[in-house]
Amino acid sequence: YSDYQDMRVLTQEIMQEAGEEFLQTGLEGVFETGIAAFDPALWMNGVPSMQLRARADLAPTTLADGSWSVGGPFSAENSSAGPIDRDRLPVRSLRGTLAWAAQTLRLDIERAEGVRGFANGALIWSKANGVQAAARFNGVDASTLHSQMVATNANGQIDYSLIDGEQRFVGSARNSGALPLSAEIDASVRAQVLDLARARLSLGEGRADLRGRFELGGTRGARFSGSF
């Protein structure tokens, strides 16, 4: 196999065959699995670099269509957490339950610890639709998400997707720190370019509506409109 694409295809085939063979043996109960120093960026295009250590206690089942599935509790730690503009994932650890089949993976996250702040929610990956996620967060510092943002203590919610190398963020947040600012955002990131479709910032009776395109690693351009 000459490149990572071939390796990903081979890995998917091995996982599917291994799961089917496991179920065909008729074994029951829970089996333990773990990984260490795993970087998903080596296997999936457009995914931030990580160093994952994870553990799961999984039980196999057969779905209504006859295909295999496993599920159970899991926990993971990321020793290389950092801002997305440095090709990192700003998450230190998470725990919850997972359901994994040949073409899909669902994570119900009880708690995810960021560099500063925490969240809960759900993440779904499918071969056809990429990554879809929704989360509620508390005490999050925006400067730990992107190094060019200001420090915050934010609470809110966000929907996230990653499809074909494009990340999209739609959500709202309120800063409970010294500056009581609230925000709504609809933005996407592809190839180090932030496309801000809509953002509304509110402070007291004033507000600003923003849109534009930002080159995260170089020259920035944007159009602004609003009033305070």
Side-chain angles (χ1 to χ4, degrees):
Y1 284 75
S2 59
D3 57 28
Y4 287 136
Q5 180 64 36
D6 291 337
M7 291 173 68
R8 288 196 299 273
V9 172
L10 176 62
T11 301
Q12 290 172 352
E13 292 174 352
I14 291 173
M15 289 191 300
Q16 182 170 356
E17 291 176 3
E20 291 173 348
E21 289 177 2
F22 181 86
L23 291 176
Q24 289 170 2
T25 63
L27 296 177
E28 297 180 353
V30 175
F31 63 97
E32 299 177 358
T33 184
I35 59 172
F38 174 66
D39 188 353
L42 299 178
W43 301 88
M44 294 178 282
N45 293 328
V47 175
S49 180
M50 305 171 229
Q51 285 294 309
L52 292 179
R53 181 181 180 88
R55 174 190 170 90
D57 298 323
L58 305 176
T61 59
T62 303
L63 302 179
D65 61 2
S67 63
W68 64 271
S69 175
V70 295
F74 76 95
S75 61
E77 297 178 357
N78 175 25
S79 63
S80 63
I84 59 174
D85 58 309
R86 296 178 181 170
D87 195 32
R88 301 292 180 178
L89 185 73
V91 177
R92 292 186 187 274
S93 66
L94 62 135
R95 69 173 187 268
T97 58
L98 68 83
W100 173 39
Q103 302 291 325
T104 61
L105 173 67
R106 179 184 176 94
L107 305 179
D108 290 301
I109 301 169
E110 298 173 7
R111 186 177 180 91
E113 295 281 352
V115 177
R116 279 191 288 276
F118 64 93
N120 59 61
L123 180 148
I124 301 172
W125 170 85
S126 70
K127 187 175 181 180
N129 299 317
V131 176
Q132 306 286 331
R136 293 183 176 275
F137 55 88
N138 293 274
V140 171
D141 183 351
S143 67
T144 66
L145 308 181
H146 194 288
S147 60
Q148 296 176 8
M149 293 183 177
V150 299
T152 63
N153 183 17
N155 306 316
Q157 60 186 23
I158 191 166
D159 293 327
Y160 170 83
S161 65
L162 171 60
I163 304 175
D164 296 329
E166 179 177 276
Q167 302 178 72
R168 188 179 181 197
F169 308 83
V170 179
S172 61
R174 175 178 291 275
N175 184 33
S176 58
L179 186 66
L181 184 71
S182 62
E184 300 175 8
I185 189 171
D186 182 349
S188 60
V189 177
R190 178 188 285 273
Q192 290 295 302
V193 175
L194 171 65
D195 187 354
L196 191 61
R198 181 182 65 87
R200 170 165 290 183
L201 305 178
S202 301
L203 180 62
E205 297 298 322
R207 80 169 188 271
D209 295 310
L210 301 87
R211 60 189 179 125
R213 291 171 62 86
F214 299 80
E215 295 182 12
L216 300 178
T219 304
R220 298 170 184 80
R223 293 186 295 271
F224 301 92
S225 65
S227 61
F228 284 95

